[in-house]
Amino acid sequence: MPIDSSHASSLLAAVAARLCGPAGTGEDLKAITEACEQARAAGLGADPALVAALEAAAAGADPILRESALAHVSGDLRRFARILDMVENVLDLAPLDGINQIYWSMQRQLFLTRMDAATMPDFFTARLFPFYERFLGEAARRLGLRPAPRPAGAPDTGRVVMVTNQLLSAYHQPSRDLLRQAALLQGGAGREVLILNTNMMPDRYHSPFVPPFAAAIEAQLNGEQRIAFEDQSFRLLSSVEPGLAAGKLKGFLEAVEAFDPDVVIGFGGSVLLADLLGAARPLLCIPTTTGTPVSLADIALDFGGTTPPPEGGRFARAWRPFRLGLSLRRDEGAPPASPADFGIPGDAFPCVVIGNRLDAEVGAEFLALLERLLDAAPRAVVLFAGDAGALPGRLAASRHAGRLRSLGWVER
């Protein structure tokens, strides 16, 4: 259904006013994002004429802010390509932290599947990956990062370095997955493991990009320490110093050279330090999400799909089938929760939906699917575990309201 013209004009004016107003703080960027989200939800981005009118109305805004807002409203990847063009024109001059902010903000939108891949099918191979390579090279040049290659013919050491952009708590699934893989390498394969927690994603806003993105950092994981996982412990080198600091990165490179691993593992995509080391040592990438990871690895494992990446070239050569085993957190000394603890009848068949973005992802289509499931399975109940504000109201409006329950945050 076409958007009402008066409503469209009101939304367009609101977004344009926000874009042409203050954008220097996180609160400013969040206000712009909210206006863009309302326009997107109303369907403004699906009308090329309205998008063109918004672009003209916001002509005086910061160009990266404007293009990121238009991308958010429309889902058009060509907007991201224009941002990359602008950044590449000043790649040797712009602050590295600002470039890093823009790159990760785009990656966040891609991860959340907010962009329409059909608008630019070759965006990953033709634009995003080449930009990442150039950005990596520029960071190495400016910061004087030259990883020392391992001498040819050097004997195996039985050591492995695992590098991550972000290590958090036992509740953070990628952190648990990394420690699980480290446990398999150290306990199962007899390899000595060193974990590097580099915190290379931006933890604050450097560039006027919407939606704004800043990564969480675990302040306690700083310096050299031992980190325990189940019945094993690992040596951890971590830095909470923000940004792409030369001292931080050089310190990590020196630690790798002293440790002398046989192989480096980049855990996740766009692990900048691991990809720098790929020029000097064998590099393996273990992705943490579906989709093709941005990685310079010699071998990139699959997250659990069944076919090689369709792009061909280096990605197809590096790809190997793999299924990452997810790891549940153990509550030491605490009895497991029972169905009765959540008021579930003993003869019920409980199904659980777990997520951090339930309000955004449990929409009408997914609820309709669950309703059909409940129609077919009279004893089934569906529980939702995770923080959610709007979800309980949506569930209450369902014809199966009594069998769709939001539990909120679940401790165990």
Side-chain angles (χ1 to χ4, degrees):
M1 179 182 296
I3 183 172
D4 176 77
S5 59
S6 61
H7 185 42
S9 298
S10 174
L11 289 173
L12 191 153
V15 176
R18 287 289 187 185
L19 288 173
C20 295
T25 68
E27 291 304 315
D28 293 333
L29 294 175
K30 289 176 183 177
I32 296 170
T33 299
E34 183 177 346
C36 291
E37 188 61 41
Q38 291 174 354
R40 177 190 179 101
L44 188 150
D47 187 324
L50 291 175
V51 173
L54 176 58
E55 184 172 14
D62 177 277
I64 289 177
L65 177 66
R66 182 185 66 244
E67 291 298 329
S68 64
L70 290 166
H72 188 46
V73 170
S74 67
D76 192 339
L77 280 170
R78 290 170 294 185
R79 300 288 176 179
F80 278 4
R82 293 180 189 178
I83 292 174
L84 293 179
D85 286 338
M86 288 186 277
V87 175
E88 286 183 331
N89 285 336
V90 293
L91 192 60
D92 59 337
L93 300 173
L96 292 175
D97 284 328
I99 301 171
N100 196 44
Q101 171 80 51
I102 291 168
Y103 174 78
W104 280 105
S105 297
M106 287 192 291
Q107 280 282 38
R108 180 68 173 171
Q109 289 297 89
L110 295 170
F111 167 68
L112 294 176
T113 65
R114 302 302 302 271
M115 306 303 294
D116 182 2
T119 57
M120 194 172 184
D122 64 345
F123 176 76
F124 178 86
T125 53
R127 301 307 310 274
L128 188 66
F129 185 83
F131 173 80
Y132 176 75
E133 280 192 296
R134 287 190 283 273
F135 174 48
L136 190 71
E138 182 61 20
R141 182 189 69 82
R142 281 205 233 174
L143 302 178
L145 305 175
R146 291 179 289 274
R150 194 168 190 224
D156 294 345
T157 63
R159 300 179 189 132
V160 176
V161 163
M162 300 186 73
V163 189
T164 179
N165 281 323
Q166 184 184 52
L167 191 68
L168 296 176
S169 70
Y171 294 99
H172 184 239
Q173 187 63 58
S175 296
R176 295 191 58 76
D177 293 339
L178 182 147
L179 294 172
R180 164 59 59 201
Q181 298 304 314
L184 291 172
L185 285 167
Q186 188 163 279
R191 299 295 188 264
E192 183 182 358
V193 176
L194 169 64
I195 299 172
L196 304 183
N197 178 34
T198 60
N199 285 314
M200 298 304 296
M201 294 186 290
D203 71 332
R204 60 203 69 187
Y205 305 140
H206 299 277
S207 297
F209 192 106
V210 292
F213 168 66
I217 288 179
E218 180 53 65
Q220 294 180 342
L221 297 180
N222 189 32
E224 181 170 357
Q225 54 190 275
R226 302 291 298 186
I227 184 169
F229 180 75
E230 297 179 354
D231 59 348
Q232 295 190 55
S233 69
F234 311 95
R235 183 183 169 206
L236 170 71
L237 293 181
S238 179
S239 173
V240 298
E241 182 180 0
L244 279 69
K248 176 172 78 169
L249 286 163
K250 288 179 179 178
F252 281 128
L253 293 179
E254 290 168 0
V256 172
E257 185 176 357
F259 190 68
D260 193 21
D262 297 321
V263 66
V264 174
I265 297 176
F267 201 78
S270 306
V271 183
L272 189 146
L273 183 77
D275 288 326
L276 283 172
L277 287 164
R281 294 177 185 268
L283 176 61
L284 170 74
C285 172
I286 300 179
T288 56
T289 63
T290 54
T292 307
V294 178
S295 173
L296 304 184
D298 304 290
I299 293 176
L301 300 182
D302 183 42
F303 187 73
T306 57
T307 58
E311 296 90 351
R314 65 177 301 149
F315 301 108
R317 291 194 299 271
W319 181 88
R320 301 291 187 278
F322 180 72
R323 186 170 295 279
L324 182 67
L326 303 181
S327 170
L328 295 177
R329 183 177 68 89
R330 293 181 182 174
D331 287 307
E332 299 296 341
S338 68
D341 292 335
F342 299 107
I344 303 170
D347 63 345
F349 183 83
C351 308
V352 184
V353 178
I354 305 172
N356 292 324
R357 298 182 299 274
L358 295 176
D359 279 342
E361 296 182 350
V362 181
E365 291 184 3
F366 187 55
L367 285 177
L369 173 66
L370 293 180
E371 288 176 337
R372 293 197 299 273
L373 182 152
L374 295 174
D375 288 338
R379 291 192 299 111
V381 295
V382 181
L383 313 174
F384 296 83
D387 286 330
L391 179 62
R394 295 179 196 166
L395 302 183
S398 168
R399 57 189 172 86
H400 283 303
R403 298 164 65 195
L404 294 164
R405 291 180 48 202
S406 176
L407 304 177
W409 171 257
V410 177
E411 177 64 24
R412 55 186 178 92

